Amino acid sequence: MTTLIAIIGLGVLSLIFEIFDFRKAIIPISIIGLLAILGLNVSEFNSPESYYNNMIVVNNFSVTFSSLFIVLTLFLIALGHSFYENHQSKLSDYIAIKIFLLSGAVAMVSFGNLAMFFLGIEILSISLYVLAASNRVNVKSNEAGMKYFLMGSFASGVILFGICMIYGAMGSFDIVEIGEMSQSAELPIWFPIGISLVTIGMLFKIAAVPFHFWAPDVYEGSPTLTTALMSTLAKVVAIATLYKLLSGMHADINYSFQLVVVVISILSMTVGNIMALRQVNVKRMLAFSGISHAGFMLMALLTLATSAGSLLYYTSAYALSGIAAFSVILYVCKNRENEDIVNFHGLGKTNPLLAAILTGSLLSMAGIPIFAGFFAKLVLFSQTIQAGYLVVVIFAVINSIVSVGYYFKLILAMYTKEPNETRTGKPFLIYAVAVVSILLNIIIGLFPSLVLDLLA
């Protein structure tokens, strides 16, 4: 609870800095504040507690995922120093929105009550709507914001309707009480209907097939830094929240529900990879890649009782590689009209360090050792096979091989094509975020127990 209060306080503080014209201090203070909040959050590990009649529940699951969210937000705010340098008059707004978005993310993995769950979703979603349309002079940004707002609002309505169904069936919003009552032999029909509606709404947030159609257009049209946020932080928050929600309600007892998860997981992996092969825009390619990774993450729902650690590991590996990739994209495509692959031609010759970092992040997403993406898939595949879902793993392995095709298309463009132009300047924070994120990816790849043992 103290972590959540501290995050909200930091967001308010960034707005106050704008009033007193301390714009240059906003990002440094925000970074320092997030580091302090990270320490505060970690101090609550192994100290379970509940607040306000179980509205907020602090446990190892919430602490570990909240720590991941804080680290990702720290990286995203650091990248904002270069991205928003031409928008200094609005800097506090952008930073404050990201910090308030973080408070919604923390609430989504710390809820003990469906009311707090929905409140967290809306804080995160509304922040994303604003950020998607934040480039007012860009028609694509306006289109992205409108599409995301309309589709996101509909998904939120479906989630709210599902929550109402669950309450009507159980007479409670409390997750613990609902989980206990769900063990009853006779459940009202409204309970599985409510679970299904909430799951559908959350699958939209994750961008899993067939609820994925918004993702490519919104990713391409949104400002690149916002796309980075959607692709990493928002996706990780959604899958972690769905995992907590279903495990808390013991929804894994239903075989037909698991069968639906299997189908959606396979479709997400397959459709995402096939569509990514055809893309020439890097942001659209990563959007379809994210849809594919959503399919991999959904495999954790098939083993709810034992897969919390593997889900944390996979999301950490995916998010860190995503941050590294988007750091390079921000540098290469700054002040350009698009993010097409042609912009990356010859990057290996003009900027070997950033080319190596982007290569490493793509190899991690593809599941190539020594990067964390390989070991994350290995752990997830092992657990899924033990649960008896060998077919899903076979499709996952095939799709991992297919993904190499479009990842290497970008890698080959960096090392085999002649450069279009040479980029000048070396923004420190972009380089720092890119290097630190890929190093963290390699470290947890070499030492998986650092993450897996947190939720063992």
Side-chain angles (χ1 to χ4, degrees), residues 202-314:
M202 293 305 298
L203 289 174
F204 169 88
K205 304 294 183 183
I206 300 167
V209 175
F211 312 103
H212 67 291
F213 292 101
W214 61 273
D217 290 342
V218 173
Y219 276 39
E220 182 183 8
S222 300
T224 303
L225 190 57
T226 301
T227 304
L229 193 156
M230 291 179 181
S231 178
T232 56
L233 178 60
K235 188 179 291 288
V236 171
V237 171
I239 187 65
T241 304
L242 179 59
Y243 179 91
K244 176 174 182 175
L245 188 70
L246 294 179
S247 59
M249 292 183 178
H250 302 287
D252 57 328
I253 59 175
N254 192 325
Y255 173 77
S256 60
F257 177 82
Q258 289 190 339
L259 186 61
V260 171
V261 172
V262 167
V263 173
I264 293 177
S265 175
I266 292 173
L267 285 176
S268 297
M269 290 185 284
T270 306
V271 172
N273 279 323
I274 291 175
M275 294 303 295
L277 287 169
R278 305 173 54 188
Q279 305 305 314
V280 295
N281 183 284
V282 175
K283 285 165 70 174
R284 288 186 70 89
M285 184 188 79
L286 290 178
F288 283 110
S289 170
I291 293 169
S292 173
H293 281 284
F296 286 99
M297 295 177 194
L298 287 172
M299 292 168 65
L301 301 184
L302 300 173
T303 53
L304 285 172
T306 60
S307 59
S310 59
L311 180 63
L312 175 65
Y313 188 41
Y314 194 100

Side-chain angles (χ1 to χ4, degrees), residues 22 25 61 95 134 150 160 170-171 196 216 229 259 277 287 327 339 375:
F22 293 155
F61 183 91
I95 301 303
S134 58
L150 292 176
L160 186 58
M170 300 300 193
S196 300
L229 193 156
L259 186 61
L277 287 169
S327 299
E339 297 81 21
F375 298 100

Side-chain angles (χ1 to χ4, degrees), residues 33-270:
L34 286 172
L35 287 172
I37 292 171
L38 178 62
L40 178 65
N41 185 65
V42 171
S43 69
E44 295 181 314
F45 193 74
N46 286 330
S47 301
E49 189 64 75
S50 63
Y51 301 88
Y52 303 116
N53 294 321
N54 216 37
M55 291 289 286
I56 294 289
V57 177
V58 176
N59 52 30
N60 287 354
F61 183 91
S62 67
V63 169
T64 50
F65 273 100
S66 295
S67 298
L68 175 60
F69 302 160
I70 293 168
V71 170
L72 295 177
T73 305
L74 193 153
F75 285 151
L76 291 164
I77 288 177
L79 291 173
H81 182 270
S82 298
F83 189 76
Y84 295 128
E85 63 182 1
N86 296 326
H87 305 274
Q88 288 297 314
S89 61
K90 307 170 188 175
L91 183 60
S92 64
D93 296 341
Y94 292 124
I95 301 303
I97 288 173
K98 287 181 174 62
I99 295 173
F100 289 134
L101 183 150
L102 174 61
S103 69
V106 172
M108 286 175 70
V109 292
S110 304
F111 72 92
N113 187 291
L114 291 177
M116 182 57 68
F117 158 70
F118 187 73
L119 183 62
I121 287 178
E122 288 308 287
I123 293 172
L124 183 136
S125 298
I126 293 172
S127 301
L128 288 174
Y129 303 153
V130 174
L131 290 172
S134 58
N135 190 352
R136 294 177 298 170
V137 298
N138 189 318
V139 175
K140 287 187 176 180
S141 178
N142 295 333
E143 179 187 354
M146 180 57 70
K147 283 183 177 179
Y148 195 37
F149 170 71
L150 292 176
M151 298 293 291
S153 299
F154 181 77
S156 295
V158 172
I159 292 173
L160 186 58
F161 194 24
I163 291 174
C164 293
M165 291 284 192
I166 293 171
Y167 178 77
M170 300 300 193
S172 174
F173 286 124
D174 189 272
I175 290 298
V176 175
E177 293 181 8
I178 293 173
E180 292 173 351
M181 288 186 285
S182 69
Q183 303 301 305
S184 172
E186 295 183 5
L187 288 173
I189 187 63
W190 310 118
F191 180 69
I193 293 176
I195 289 286
S196 300
L197 290 174
V198 172
T199 303
I200 288 171
M202 293 305 298
L203 289 174
F204 169 88
K205 304 294 183 183
I206 300 167
V209 175
F211 312 103
H212 67 291
F213 292 101
W214 61 273
D217 290 342
V218 173
Y219 276 39
E220 182 183 8
S222 300
T224 303
L225 190 57
T226 301
T227 304
L229 193 156
M230 291 179 181
S231 178
T232 56
L233 178 60
K235 188 179 291 288
V236 171
V237 171
I239 187 65
T241 304
L242 179 59
Y243 179 91
K244 176 174 182 175
L245 188 70
L246 294 179
S247 59
M249 292 183 178
H250 302 287
D252 57 328
I253 59 175
N254 192 325
Y255 173 77
S256 60
F257 177 82
Q258 289 190 339
L259 186 61
V260 171
V261 172
V262 167
V263 173
I264 293 177
S265 175
I266 292 173
L267 285 176
S268 297
M269 290 185 284
T270 306

